[in-house]
Amino acid sequence: MLSLFFKSLMKLLGWRFEGQINPDTAFIMAVGPHTSNWDFVMGIIGRGALDTKIHFLGKHQLFIPPWGWLFKAMGGSPVDRRKHNNLVDAAVQLYQQHPNYKLALAPEGTRSAVKRWKTGFYHIAKKADVDIIPVGLDFGKKCIVLGEPVRPSDDMQADMDQLLQFFRQIKGRHPKVIPDYRVNE
């Protein structure tokens, strides 16, 4: 029932999906480009329309009263970016405990333009042995683009190049240059 509401809301807003996911497998979604608070709103609407439980991590300030309960109820977990937590191992443990676990993260880690992505999403996928699904929030086409899965290999640079190529085709709400990525820099 709730899925129908979100599908209707997407249609009302003029948005659609391009591509598809396999809801019966575990994966990590790399969602971007992250340029606006509207990314989160469209991501939640899209997730609801997919009718698949997909978890997310968010800055800890989102999880304080009065709205913290809502973000937790939506599948969110707080991250205190001021502390060096072992988030990769904690996330991998969630995949081990829940065979069809799904997690969505923004590789930029912020709405601001960045020169380099955070690589936690990649390391989580590699250690948990799950695919990375690139998800583009294309505000130009009003489309949530679900890309082809990328299985992390022993060549991180090639994998990152493939992901960046996908995101270079996506127009964020506030377009910015997708960063180049070099593993050894």
Side-chain angles (χ1 to χ4, degrees):
M1 181 82 164
L2 203 51
S3 173
L4 184 60
F5 167 76
F6 284 112
K7 286 177 183 176
S8 298
L9 186 55
M10 275 187 71
K11 187 173 183 176
L12 179 71
L13 295 171
W15 280 71
R16 62 183 173 81
F17 284 107
E18 185 178 296
Q20 56 189 4
I21 60 165
N22 180 351
D24 298 325
T25 62
F27 52 75
I28 189 163
M29 291 180 145
V31 184
H34 188 23
T35 66
S36 160
N37 286 332
W38 284 103
D39 302 340
F40 179 76
V41 173
M42 287 312 304
I44 293 297
I45 292 170
R47 181 187 76 167
L50 287 172
D51 197 21
T52 300
K53 186 166 186 161
I54 301 169
H55 301 269
F56 65 92
L57 302 177
K59 59 184 176 180
H60 70 282
Q61 293 97 330
L62 294 174
F63 295 88
I64 58 175
W67 301 108
W69 67 270
L70 177 63
F71 290 109
K72 286 181 183 173
M74 292 184 335
S77 296
V79 174
D80 190 343
R81 294 183 290 186
R82 300 169 300 178
K83 297 179 182 177
H84 292 293
N85 303 318
N86 196 346
L87 288 176
V88 170
D89 288 338
V92 170
Q93 189 173 22
L94 290 169
Y95 281 96
Q96 292 168 344
Q97 293 169 349
H98 309 281
N100 283 332
Y101 190 75
K102 295 158 186 56
L103 180 63
L105 298 174
E108 294 107 331
T110 180
R111 290 168 305 206
S112 303
V114 296
K115 293 182 181 184
R116 188 174 170 94
W117 278 355
K118 298 194 178 294
T119 57
F121 77 98
Y122 185 88
H123 295 293
I124 292 168
K126 179 94 170 148
K127 283 181 114 173
D129 194 29
V130 298
D131 288 337
I132 299 168
I133 309 288
V135 178
L137 301 174
D138 195 319
F139 282 80
K141 297 191 305 186
K142 287 191 169 185
C143 183
I144 298 176
V145 184
L146 304 169
E148 290 296 318
V150 174
R151 178 64 68 152
S153 69
D154 290 332
D155 188 348
M156 184 177 178
Q157 185 63 61
D159 297 340
M160 294 300 271
D161 287 345
Q162 184 179 351
L163 291 167
L164 287 166
Q165 186 62 31
F166 169 86
F167 285 106
R168 285 190 179 100
Q169 302 171 51
I170 306 297
K171 183 180 178 190
R173 179 153 171 84
H174 302 293
K176 62 183 179 185
V177 175
I178 300 298
D180 203 9
Y181 186 85
R182 294 288 162 245
V183 171
N184 295 326
E185 287 182 7

